[in-house]
Amino acid sequence: MARLFGTDGIRGVANEDITAELAMNIGRAAAMVLTQGRRRRPLVVIGKDTRISSDMLESALSAGLCSVGADVISVGVMPTPAVAYLVKQYKADAGVMISASHNPYPYNGIKIFDGDGFKLPDDLENRIEALVLDETGALQLAKTEELGTVTIATTAVRDYVEHLKTTVPTTLEGLHIAVDCANGSASATAAPLLEELGVKVDFLSTEPDGININENCGSTHLENLTQYVLENKLDAGIAFDGDADRCLCVDEKGNVIDGDFIMAICALDMKQRGKLRHNTVVGTIMTNMGFNQFCAENDIRFIATKVGDRYVLEELEMEDYRFGGEQSGHVIFRDFSTTGDGQLTAIQLLCHMRRTGKTLSQLASVMVRYPQVMKNIRVTAEGKLSFYNNSAIKAIIQSYKEQLGDDGRVVVRVSGTEPLIRVMVEGKSAKAIQKAAKEIATVVEKELC
């Protein structure tokens, strides 16, 4: 059986890859691993996004947790970073978020946080997985009188919103923006947050029905938001994904402001205000070369990790850095959060606009983006495994790395959340990188599909 945990928890098609039975056993195993050696009764916070399968998986996880004597606090529909925050706020032993982030509604996922609100390291995930797959009876059920209970948290939205509001020292009045909630978790929290901070907001995609999450909306589909911003002459557009842990923007001219631009804007602001610890930003191997150039021009140190905000966070924690993120819009303000938080990112960016009086396009001009081409090739689980040892794919990648030299780069990797091989090529010449990406993708398709 393939490994359950990927780069961002467990993910797959609901009721096929991720069944109620699997969720129940994950709940049991997580409670046992995360509370090992503790004497008090385990307490776990559970949140979810708006997918039709989230209710089923929440019920199964809760049943599994209660069956081994753990109590559950259900916070309902909530962003992933809200669960990470509330775990510590409610003094729980662990948190679970049910979401497949930016994926379409048939998918769902299970993300687990420890008692401090951090995503689990590989060793703890491995121990949980070993218990889930164990058939020797290692999962011990509680006695009837020791069964856990479920409590509904009625103040969870308010608790999270109040936390985010404390990160902004000034009103955001005077800004008029559009916000796309992707028919997901932000539908429950974005309105009270932004309106109470004084922003005039036109909301898009805030009517989840269980199957319209991320459907032609949110951070993976910016077309409607861009059009709306331009037609209504707004200051900016903000788009979240299904669980609101990432944020992408559109400036007043309709240009996409991705995570790299957001990091450049905020890093320079933090440096000028003496808030950029060790004068360092942490990104990933997918961070645009233009960001490297921005850092060099502004005397900021840049460190690249593997793809995944968990790896960015690990680097932040290991070296006591305070800021980093991904091109996809996962941005971590470590002074305020233990994970990427789309709404936190949005209000920090809006606060900078309000404080400086500059437009978003003016702020984004601090960085020039290198041309970049992305191609995703759908493969089987066997194809993902074969990728690592395929000589033809290795050869074509090496060939184009040599051809592009210092003027570009090639990154080809297995997706940790989807059945995809991702090809990324960037460089100074748009024509050269398009040719490289096309030919590499062709070889991958021929060899693995």
Side-chain angles (χ1 to χ4, degrees):
M1 181 176 181
R3 189 173 189 270
L4 292 177
F5 286 91
T7 57
D8 197 17
I10 299 167
R11 195 172 299 188
V13 177
N15 227 26
E16 292 182 18
D17 303 314
I18 301 183
T19 62
E21 292 80 6
L22 177 61
M24 185 179 295
N25 284 331
I26 290 170
R28 289 170 174 161
M32 293 178 65
V33 169
L34 296 175
T35 62
Q36 189 172 24
R38 301 181 187 182
R39 294 184 178 181
R40 72 176 178 87
R41 192 177 180 88
L43 180 63
V44 180
V45 172
I46 297 183
K48 60 187 175 184
D49 69 16
T50 58
R51 293 163 210 272
I52 194 171
S53 58
S54 291
D55 289 345
M56 174 191 76
L57 295 176
E58 180 186 23
S59 297
L61 277 161
S62 297
L65 288 162
C66 291
S67 73
V68 295
D71 291 327
V72 172
I73 298 178
S74 172
V75 298
V77 172
M78 197 69 60
T80 291
V83 173
Y85 168 73
L86 293 171
V87 168
K88 194 168 185 179
Q89 184 74 3
Y90 294 167
K91 296 179 172 59
D93 297 288
V96 180
M97 178 65 186
I98 302 166
S99 175
S101 190
H102 61 284
N103 293 151
Y105 87 91
Y107 290 84
N108 216 324
I110 298 172
K111 306 178 186 181
I112 304 175
F113 297 91
D114 67 17
D116 292 318
F118 292 98
K119 291 181 179 179
L120 300 185
D122 290 343
D123 63 325
L124 285 181
E125 288 184 343
N126 290 337
R127 288 168 59 191
I128 292 171
E129 183 165 315
L131 277 176
V132 171
L133 302 179
D134 190 283
E135 297 180 355
T136 63
L139 290 172
Q140 297 296 317
L141 302 184
K143 297 177 181 178
T144 304
E145 66 271 18
E146 295 174 348
L147 292 174
T149 61
V150 178
T151 302
I152 306 299
T154 59
T155 64
V157 169
R158 176 50 47 194
D159 292 338
Y160 174 61
V161 168
E162 289 299 326
H163 161 62
L164 291 185
K165 286 167 61 179
T166 65
T167 71
V168 177
T170 183
T171 178
L172 301 181
E173 291 180 0
L175 295 172
H176 187 183
I177 66 172
V179 172
D180 186 335
C181 293
N183 291 313
S185 294
S187 302
T189 54
L193 171 65
L194 293 167
E195 290 171 356
E196 289 172 25
L197 286 172
V199 186
K200 184 177 181 181
V201 188
D202 297 349
F203 284 101
L204 310 176
S205 305
T206 58
E207 299 181 359
D209 61 11
I211 63 174
N212 63 357
I213 186 171
N214 299 316
E215 184 179 16
N216 298 317
C217 60
S219 62
T220 52
H221 300 279
L222 295 172
E223 299 83 8
N224 291 337
L225 178 64
T226 301
Q227 183 178 352
Y228 191 92
V229 167
L230 291 174
E231 289 179 351
N232 293 278
K233 297 180 172 57
L234 303 185
D235 295 311
I238 293 172
F240 304 116
D241 62 338
D243 65 338
D245 65 350
R246 67 172 72 181
C247 163
L248 295 182
C249 301
V250 175
D251 70 18
E252 78 283 0
K253 297 179 180 180
N255 300 309
V256 173
I257 307 299
D258 66 15
D260 291 339
F261 279 104
I262 293 171
M263 286 198 297
I265 294 168
C266 293
L268 188 57
D269 173 53
M270 292 172 71
K271 180 182 178 182
Q272 292 170 346
R273 293 187 294 117
K275 300 292 186 181
L276 190 64
R277 182 77 63 84
H278 303 309
N279 198 34
T280 299
V281 178
V282 179
T284 76
I285 58 172
M286 298 298 285
T287 300
N288 192 269
M289 291 174 69
F291 186 83
N292 295 62
Q293 183 65 33
F294 154 81
C295 287
E297 293 171 353
N298 290 279
D299 192 28
I300 294 173
R301 185 184 180 206
F302 173 68
I303 295 174
T305 72
K306 293 189 293 184
V307 175
D309 64 332
R310 63 182 295 177
Y311 301 113
V312 173
L313 181 61
E314 285 177 4
E315 184 70 23
L316 293 177
E317 290 299 296
M318 185 167 57
E319 299 295 339
D320 194 32
Y321 304 132
R322 310 308 285 175
F323 183 65
E326 296 187 284
Q327 187 182 87
S328 60
H330 288 119
V331 179
I332 302 174
F333 292 85
R334 185 61 193 91
D335 287 331
F336 308 123
S337 180
T338 57
T339 188
D341 188 327
Q343 289 169 104
L344 174 62
T345 300
I347 61 176
Q348 296 304 308
L349 190 61
L350 293 173
C351 184
H352 186 37
M353 290 175 62
R354 182 71 174 78
R355 187 170 55 243
T356 61
K358 293 183 178 180
T359 65
L360 187 52
S361 65
Q362 288 173 327
L363 293 177
S365 66
V366 299
M367 178 187 130
V368 176
R369 185 179 187 274
Y370 278 45
Q372 188 178 82
V373 177
M374 298 277 294
K375 290 186 178 294
N376 295 320
I377 301 94
R378 186 167 294 274
V379 297
T380 63
E382 293 75 16
K384 290 176 73 170
L385 290 174
S386 300
F387 166 79
Y388 295 102
N389 297 310
N390 188 285
S391 58
I393 295 174
K394 287 181 178 180
I396 191 73
I397 292 173
Q398 184 58 36
S399 172
Y400 274 106
K401 282 183 176 181
E402 293 173 358
Q403 289 182 46
L404 292 171
D406 294 335
D407 291 333
R409 65 190 184 111
V410 179
V411 178
V412 184
R413 66 182 183 88
V414 173
S415 170
T417 59
E418 298 178 78
L420 302 172
I421 303 296
R422 301 191 188 278
V423 176
M424 187 279 287
V425 185
E426 69 179 11
K428 295 180 179 179
S429 169
K431 182 177 180 180
I433 65 171
Q434 288 169 358
K435 178 175 182 290
K438 181 179 179 180
E439 294 197 9
I440 291 170
T442 297
V443 173
V444 172
E445 288 175 347
K446 179 182 177 182
E447 295 294 318
L448 304 182
C449 297

